[in-house]
Amino acid sequence: MKRLSIALLVTLAASTLGCTTSPTKDVITELRRELDRYPAYSVILEDMRREGSFVKRQEHLYRVVIAEPDSNGELAFRDELLEWYPVSERVWERYRPCLGMTVAAKANVEEGETPTATEECRPAGYGYVGDRRYGEWRTDSSGNSFWAFYGKYALLSHMLGGLRGPVYRNEWDAYRTARRSNRPFFGTKSQWGTTGSMTRTTNPTFYQRQQARSQASRSRFSDRVDQRAGRSRSSSSRSRSGGSRGGK
């Protein structure tokens, strides 16, 4: 897919959502519909932000990783960071735990199989782990089994953004168990997702913005307390002053 097509995708999704504070369509559904023509893709929730006190505006920022056949018939992957999308309160709440994770994907399947798109909250890149077309299981010096992408797909793991270290077999087995139970997977140590320790390293901007918002909120609260205290002291002073004059 050329960059122009990505731009058209952005325009289409934005037009279907509408630039309002209460969009009615699910952007994930819209993106899946547009990306379904490709043999494989991943939609990663790169960032999210919320603004406004009384009328809230929620927005998501997505990274899309797309596969297309090259001249040799092999899949070539590339990624694109899309624009900020307004999302509804329902979509915001649904994906609030999933920062930095894959929220929609379709895997490349073997010939004769039927491709299916999934919508789930899983660590970015886990959909390609275990697929021997992209890598293999190896053993480290301590006897632990870990996944290694082949050299030509090394860039794929970088595009997906979530694989900052080796994926060990026991972690991947735990992921598969969660997936069979239709549960989101945040890691055996809860290192992925919005509250995950690993996500704080890979997505620092979100937490910086959250901290700034929290500090601003505390500052506004402190100002209101000071204003009330000032009015209370002024009222008390006038009351004492009035009582003194009345006694003369």
Side-chain angles (χ1 to χ4, degrees), residues 223-238:
D223 289 344
R224 289 195 296 269
V225 171
D226 289 343
Q227 290 171 2
R228 292 193 187 102
R231 288 196 296 268
S232 178
R233 287 193 296 269
S234 176
S235 176
S236 176
S237 176
R238 287 196 301 270

Side-chain angles (χ1 to χ4, degrees), residues 108-129:
N108 181 37
V109 298
E110 299 285 359
E111 186 175 353
E113 294 181 352
T114 302
T116 56
T118 60
E119 187 173 333
E120 58 187 304
C121 188
R122 67 183 181 194
Y126 270 47
Y128 296 94
V129 175

Side-chain angles (χ1 to χ4, degrees), residues 92-104:
W92 174 269
E93 290 299 327
R94 180 173 183 176
Y95 296 105
R96 187 166 60 170
C98 303
L99 179 65
M101 305 184 80
T102 297
V103 293

Side-chain angles (χ1 to χ4, degrees), residues 123-136:
Y126 270 47
Y128 296 94
V129 175
D131 190 327
R132 293 189 177 276
R133 290 172 294 180
Y134 303 109
E136 62 184 3

